[in-house]
Amino acid sequence: MIQMVMGDAVEAVEKGQSLLLDGFPRTMEQAVALDKNLDVDLVINLCIPNETIIERISDRWIHSASGRVYNYSYKPPKVMGLDDETGEPLVQREDDKPESVLKRLQKYEMATAPLVKYYEEKGVIQTFAGTESDVIYPNVKRWLDHQLAGDEAATV
């Protein structure tokens, strides 16, 4: 995995450009290997309550034939349970069901808790908590803008 990331990033790194790695590393082994190749100097940790994540993911339903995705929280179909274009039934993927999402979250938390601690000890992590991206995003952007501008005193 590290070789793949570095293969894609080598040109940017050589130019002194910053990289944004979304969802990586996911394990301590990956974090240690990444540190051998790159100077990880900023880490953003989004802390979203499990209930919020479960609700959003379990509200997702799809039209299998086309791949159209609906979400009952913010992009519902015109008719409950039916595809807007064909009228065919929508289905919920097994891994979008609440019990599956909870299991995935528990596994994720077990894997990432050591990463959060690792980056806390390195002093490079900033955690943002909330339930709405419209609220969290401005704080993340403000902090990141300050960090990238070299303003070490910036806090949120």
Side-chain angles (χ1 to χ4, degrees), residues 3 7 28 32 34 54 63 68 71 73 77 80 90 95 113 119 124 135 137-138 140:
Q3 290 174 344
M28 278 301 301
V32 170
L34 184 62
I54 291 168
H63 177 249
R68 277 186 289 281
N71 189 294
S73 297
M80 182 75 97
L90 300 176
D95 63 344
Y119 287 120
V124 297
V135 175
Y137 174 74
V140 172

Side-chain angles (χ1 to χ4, degrees), residues 75-87:
K75 186 187 170 196
K78 294 174 185 168
V79 177
M80 182 75 97
L82 301 177
D83 179 57
D84 288 349
E85 292 186 28
T86 66

Side-chain angles (χ1 to χ4, degrees), residues 114-134:
L115 288 171
V116 171
K117 184 175 183 194
Y118 177 73
Y119 287 120
E120 282 174 345
E121 290 171 357
K122 290 183 69 171
V124 297
I125 195 168
Q126 178 71 36
T127 296
F128 297 89
T131 59
E132 298 176 30
S133 56
D134 290 347

Side-chain angles (χ1 to χ4, degrees), residues 43-98:
V43 175
I44 296 171
N45 180 40
L46 300 178
C47 185
I48 313 301
N50 282 355
E51 300 78 29
T52 300
I53 296 169
I54 291 168
E55 179 182 315
R56 288 187 188 162
I57 293 176
S58 64
D59 274 355
R60 183 169 52 196
W61 290 71
I62 63 168
H63 177 249
S64 295
S66 68
R68 277 186 289 281
V69 178
Y70 298 89
N71 189 294
Y72 286 109
S73 297
Y74 60 88
K75 186 187 170 196
K78 294 174 185 168
V79 177
M80 182 75 97
L82 301 177
D83 179 57
D84 288 349
E85 292 186 28
T86 66
E88 295 171 342
L90 300 176
V91 297
Q92 186 176 45
R93 296 178 349 181
E94 247 345 277
D95 63 344
D96 286 348
K97 293 182 178 178

